[in-house]
Amino acid sequence: MAAHPTTSDEARPPAESIHPVDEKLPALKMATSGLQHVAAMYAGVVAPPLIVGAAVGLSGTELTFLTGACLFTAGLATFLQTLGIWKIGARLPFVNGVTFAGVAPMTAIVASTKDKSDALPVIFGAVIVAGLLGFLAAPVFCKAVRFFPPVVTGSVITLIGVSLLPVSFGWAQGPNPAGHDYGSAKYLTLAGITLLLVLLLRRFTQGFVKQIAVLIGLIAGTVIAIPFGVTDFGPVTDADVVGFPTPFHFGAPQFQIAAILSMCVVMVVSMTESTADMLALGEIVERPSGEETIKAGLRADTLGSAISPLFNGFMCSAFAQNIGLVAMTRIRSRFVVAVGGGFLVLMGLCPMAASLIAVVPRPVLGGAGVVLFGSVAASGIQTLVRAGLDKDNNVLIVAVSLAVGIIPITAPGFYHAFPETARIVLDSGISTGCVVAVLLNLLFNHIGKGRDAEDVTHPMEAGQEIAESAQTAPAH
């Protein structure tokens, strides 16, 4: 008896056999949707090199180069994650870029380096080692994620935001802390106007405009700053149209044990966040992320991080705000995000495009930074809400880890009697807070027998609570 063609698999249109994640959209839609992903994460990519570059004391030209390098390496890392090679890459619509988690430890490394010209090579060496170790640890880490429940990740995410907020406050006061007009009404007014613009855009706009409110605020704030005489277009006029991030432009990588330990802690934080993001994104695109997907995604993150310093970039991780963009637009194709990665690479190869961010006055960056960095802290608090803070043990974990983590902010000289190498780790509130949170979680929620089940939040099993916490993960 002949089979009915209308019910056979062979009779179905080929498109039905293609999952939306693997779908290739029309060229124009691919391009515009890819640009939207770039717009949503652009400010997050350029902020870390601006912070670290300013701490090192780079010139406008060198700052432009560092920013372009981070855009270029973000594009490469996005290619690894979306397109994949071998068993590397989650092959999901995943945008990768410089992680915020590394900013505070990197500035601590800069502060502890006597010769600032060695600071970036030391950072690059530490990122390379942390990336390679993370790559090797990916098969184990995807199983050990149960030791990083929301009570730990929420504490760390909150510390990331809190640690970065002082940077925006410093920017708001002007470009030169030693200047006579540092903190003047002129600079604070510009910061306030930019902050107000971003808030109004977020409140009264929708869709694409709302997603790029920070970027629009930066542009508008820069234009408004022109009459104040604080906008310098020199970096753009001096920049080349075409360039390439010369390998090891700032010097060959240097390997210092304290810096490596600090960045390894950041790598653990980054891998935890990426795991959460993969679980959440898998649910959004209706392709659940199993152990193999997480393993491949972590390999892409860590390999991208290890390669990044070769081209003068920093540690890379998933950008959570782009996951929200996928959920909002329902465009699930990984090739759309790959196109966005292509735009990032092109921007990195065009120093003039990268130099545009160097034109933005520091007070304008400070105003936008309040929203950008404050949102990170707020995301951490949202994660903590899901962590079961009605349990006394979890309250203690959060209380002590946050207290230890903010020591470098509230008492900068607290560890002055410790060896210089130890201070690289101790002066990073994110690193110390993360270590304390993990150890306390082990003490209260894993070690010992006869605990009262009503007083303890059990460690999550792989693929459970962390998927929820990922939906409120910060912008990296």
Side-chain angles (χ1 to χ4, degrees), residues 237-251:
T237 57
D238 295 338
D240 296 326
V241 176
V242 179
F244 185 79
T246 312
F248 301 131
H249 175 81
F250 296 98

Side-chain angles (χ1 to χ4, degrees), residues 291-308:
E291 186 176 306
E292 289 302 314
T293 299
I294 293 174
K295 185 192 304 181
L298 291 177
R299 281 173 172 161
D301 264 10
T302 53
L303 182 60
S305 295
I307 294 174
S308 186

